[in-house]
Amino acid sequence: MDRQIENKCLNLVENYRILAAGNKWEFSEMLLACAGIYLVAGVTPDMSRVKECKKLLKSKAGIFSNFRGQDELLVRCKMALADDPALYFDNLEREYRSLKTFFSGEQTVLAAMILAEQDHREGLAEKTKQIYKEMKEAHPWLTSENDLPFAALMAVSGRDAASIYAEAEEIYAYLKENLRVDRDTLQMLSHILAVRSGRTDTKCEKLCALAGGLKAAKRSLGGGSRLAILGLLADAGLSADALVERIAETDDFLKQYKPFRGIFGVGKDCRRMFAVQMVQASLSGEESLGASAMMTASVELAIITMILMLIIISSSAASTHSASH
């Protein structure tokens, strides 16, 4: 197994262990997403600082605020990693207010996070809303708040809003004909591939080859939103076969460790999502170092967090529905 992937897996597991010890009632998926934040930042979680940020967040946001919803731990970890946690929250809240509507929830918070972390934020909220409007006009029944973070990723890509969304539509049409997944996942994949580098047809072909290769290797991520994580590898330099081999090895390695094993583990589909992240993180590390690599890793982590939030929210809704009957 690749040594760099192994080290990243061990760091992720250690970050998870530290965060889980201080947040015993948190979803494993959210703990893993936050462990990934620290992995990208290259630091170990400081639980005393995370606790300080919990107090700060309570002083700035009421109990019914969306900043204290399903993704509160994510907000606290982002604050803890900032040089000035209070200033970070102020910037986050400002971008959130620029994006929010009556129906805003956790996904609007994630979109605001993407904007708040940009050095030059002027006009990005309006660009995000314009891209989202185009999404809504093209797919009125598919598009919801869940797509807003992807609109934010497109807005911060540096490309013209019209051209990047036009590419997303081209990708959607291609995948609709060549990949058997639900339409929500198709739309999510079209957004992810649009912000990746490379030729549109090449990215689409690599994505389809990866999905098919993993299924043939009995390492499928399922047909739902988890499959969208493969978009992170659509512009990878390695062949689809080589990537499938690395994902399989990483999957086997992760299953040795909590929270990826046992009946209380996150499940094989979620474990394979993180196997994909570890493989992509190792490739980013090989290709470049410094600010550009950090930006790429941050985009990848935002995508993973968005997908996990959809899973967490849908699981919570299903639990609530079951409890009420």
Side-chain angles (χ1 to χ4, degrees), residues 272-292:
R272 288 167 188 164
M273 279 184 60
F274 281 91
V276 171
Q277 188 203 6
M278 296 302 98
V279 170
Q280 173 56 29
S282 72
L283 295 176
S284 296
E286 290 172 3
E287 291 164 0
S288 60
L289 296 172
S292 61

Side-chain angles (χ1 to χ4, degrees), residues 9 49 52 77 81 95 112 147 174 241 263 269-270 303:
C9 289
R49 189 167 172 84
E52 289 172 6
C77 289
L81 282 167
E95 297 304 324
D147 297 290
Y174 181 100
D241 288 343
I263 59 173
D269 292 346
C270 189
I303 291 169

Side-chain angles (χ1 to χ4, degrees), residues 67-78:
F67 294 112
R68 295 180 59 191
Q70 300 273 19
D71 51 1
E72 179 182 334
L73 180 60
L74 181 64
V75 175
R76 287 195 272 127
C77 289
K78 288 282 192 177

Side-chain angles (χ1 to χ4, degrees), residues 9-276:
C9 289
L10 292 174
N11 288 338
L12 179 76
V13 168
E14 177 62 10
N15 291 347
Y16 172 88
R17 184 193 66 77
I18 295 170
L19 289 166
N23 299 275
K24 295 185 181 297
W25 304 109
E26 188 59 71
F27 283 99
S28 292
E29 290 88 348
M30 181 53 69
L31 289 167
L32 281 166
C34 292
I37 289 174
Y38 283 95
L39 180 72
V40 167
V43 298
T44 302
D46 181 344
M47 286 310 301
S48 62
R49 189 167 172 84
V50 174
K51 288 178 181 177
E52 289 172 6
C53 289
K54 183 175 184 178
K55 294 177 183 177
L56 178 60
L57 181 59
K58 282 185 175 182
S59 72
K60 287 180 168 287
I63 192 170
F64 296 111
S65 167
N66 283 326
F67 294 112
R68 295 180 59 191
Q70 300 273 19
D71 51 1
E72 179 182 334
L73 180 60
L74 181 64
V75 175
R76 287 195 272 127
C77 289
K78 288 282 192 177
M79 291 170 66
L81 282 167
D83 292 334
D84 186 336
L87 178 60
Y88 174 83
F89 181 81
D90 290 344
N91 290 336
L92 175 61
E93 186 176 36
R94 186 178 301 110
E95 297 304 324
Y96 175 80
R97 290 186 183 280
S98 297
L99 295 173
K100 72 172 293 196
T101 66
F102 180 79
F103 299 102
S104 291
E106 283 87 354
Q107 297 296 333
T108 303
V109 173
L110 289 176
M113 281 183 180
I114 293 166
L115 302 187
E117 292 173 4
Q118 308 306 310
D119 291 333
H120 304 289
R121 295 186 294 275
E122 186 176 353
L124 287 179
E126 288 304 315
K127 188 176 180 181
T128 298
K129 288 188 283 189
Q130 178 58 38
I131 293 172
Y132 181 79
K133 181 181 177 182
E134 293 186 30
M135 290 178 181
K136 194 72 173 174
E137 289 175 352
H139 304 284
W141 300 108
L142 278 180
T143 306
S144 68
E145 185 203 6
N146 294 334
D147 297 290
L148 190 62
F150 293 103
L153 282 177
M154 291 182 187
V156 304
S157 69
R159 290 173 55 190
D160 173 75
S163 67
I164 194 170
Y165 189 68
E167 183 181 2
E169 283 299 288
E170 185 181 346
I171 291 167
Y172 183 91
Y174 181 100
L175 294 181
K176 186 178 179 181
E177 295 297 320
N178 294 279
L179 192 65
R180 297 187 63 179
V181 294
D182 63 83
R183 291 196 301 167
D184 286 327
T185 303
L186 277 179
Q187 175 147 306
M188 198 182 306
L189 274 166
S190 72
H191 298 159
I192 294 170
L193 265 62
V195 299
R196 308 302 293 182
S197 62
R199 288 169 50 96
T200 300
D201 56 349
T202 303
K203 291 185 289 187
C204 290
E205 289 165 5
K206 175 69 73 65
L207 187 283
C208 292
L210 274 172
L214 287 170
K215 184 176 181 180
K218 301 188 184 303
R219 304 284 179 159
S220 173
L221 282 80
S225 57
R226 291 176 180 85
L227 185 69
I229 204 69
L230 293 180
L232 296 181
L233 293 172
D235 56 353
L238 293 177
S239 69
D241 288 343
L243 290 169
V244 168
E245 183 178 352
R246 289 196 182 193
I247 293 168
E249 291 176 347
T250 308
D251 183 33
D252 286 338
F253 185 77
L254 287 175
K255 71 171 63 172
Q256 304 174 72
Y257 300 96
K258 188 176 181 180
F260 298 109
R261 60 178 170 79
I263 59 173
F264 298 110
V266 294
K268 61 184 180 181
D269 292 346
C270 189
R271 183 181 70 236
R272 288 167 188 164
M273 279 184 60
F274 281 91
V276 171

